[in-house]
Amino acid sequence: MAFAKISQVAHYAPAQVVTNDDLSKIMDTSDEWIRTRTGIQERRISVNENTSDLAINVAKQLIEKSGVSPDELDFVLVATISPDSNMPSVAALVQGAVGAVNAFAFDITAACSGFVFALATAEKLIRSGVYKKGLVIGAEVLSKTLDWSDRTTAVLFGDGAGAAVVSEVPEGYGIKGVDLGADGTGGSALCIPAG
């Protein structure tokens, strides 16, 4: 039986840093208020990059770092709730940009837990025995959806991307189990309207 492991990781963040002090100039907040409630000191914000730009950048870094040839990849999964557009998917844009000609690609929309759901999906694809290797990417440019006057939400988010190569390993190695869940009863606490 095939098992899956994370064989390499990479990350990418935009250059623009926005500190808590910066936010205190545009909303009723302070570094102390944000830090004591969230632990967050600063976040990265995209100026001219879309979600696909972040995802492509991290995918290229990951391919170079891992030594994986793009034509070895069976799939590209991107977890995001801030795609550039509804179509094409961010995953398809990544697949095309890195030359993963043998890979299928799709996005997963699961908000904060998106990367975990994408990783679990990749693990199941590999355990099926049909697929051997793929990219799992989490990428967001949430800054384009935030209400920058709302200190209850805007202080929580930034932009960036993280990625992993997930590949087949022999039984006894790799990811041992996955336990997924959801609780939609709190859905109204953080909401980004469609359209």
Side-chain angles (χ1 to χ4, degrees):
M1 175 182 275
F3 282 77
K5 72 171 184 174
I6 296 172
S7 56
Q8 190 63 260
V9 296
H11 68 278
Y12 175 77
Q16 178 70 38
V17 175
V18 175
T19 67
N20 294 343
D21 288 330
D22 294 332
L23 291 181
S24 72
K25 295 172 186 167
I26 62 169
M27 67 178 73
D28 181 22
T29 193
S30 68
D31 176 63
E32 187 272 334
W33 189 91
I34 298 169
R35 214 184 274 237
T36 58
R37 287 164 177 77
T38 68
I40 298 169
Q41 300 172 36
E42 63 182 37
R43 71 270 317 127
R44 298 295 182 101
I45 300 298
S46 173
V47 177
N48 296 313
E49 295 170 298
N50 288 317
T51 302
S52 64
D53 297 319
L54 274 59
I56 290 166
N57 189 306
V58 78
K60 287 179 177 179
Q61 283 183 42
L62 186 58
I63 288 168
E64 183 177 335
K65 188 176 175 181
S66 68
V68 169
S69 173
D71 61 7
E72 293 178 62
L73 298 170
D74 295 312
F75 55 84
V76 176
L77 308 182
V78 174
T80 188
I81 60 168
S82 59
D84 304 4
S85 60
N86 289 330
M87 183 173 62
S89 68
V90 174
L93 294 172
V94 172
Q95 184 260 6
V98 302
V101 295
N102 297 313
F104 60 87
F106 63 91
D107 289 355
I108 294 175
T109 304
C112 298
S113 55
F115 187 87
V116 174
F117 279 90
L119 180 61
T121 302
E123 188 262 346
K124 296 301 182 220
L125 288 168
I126 290 172
R127 284 195 63 157
S128 75
V130 177
Y131 307 103
K132 308 276 185 218
K133 191 176 296 176
L135 300 183
V136 175
I137 301 168
E140 300 292 2
V141 178
L142 287 170
S143 61
K144 65 184 177 184
T145 65
L146 295 175
D147 174 357
W148 286 102
S149 65
D150 179 7
R151 76 174 184 172
T152 62
T153 56
V155 301
L156 299 173
F157 301 102
D159 303 332
V165 173
V166 181
S167 56
E168 183 181 47
V169 291
E171 187 170 353
Y173 298 93
I175 299 168
K176 301 295 184 196
V178 176
D179 183 20
L180 300 175
D183 179 2
T185 62
S188 62
L190 286 173
C191 184
I192 299 173

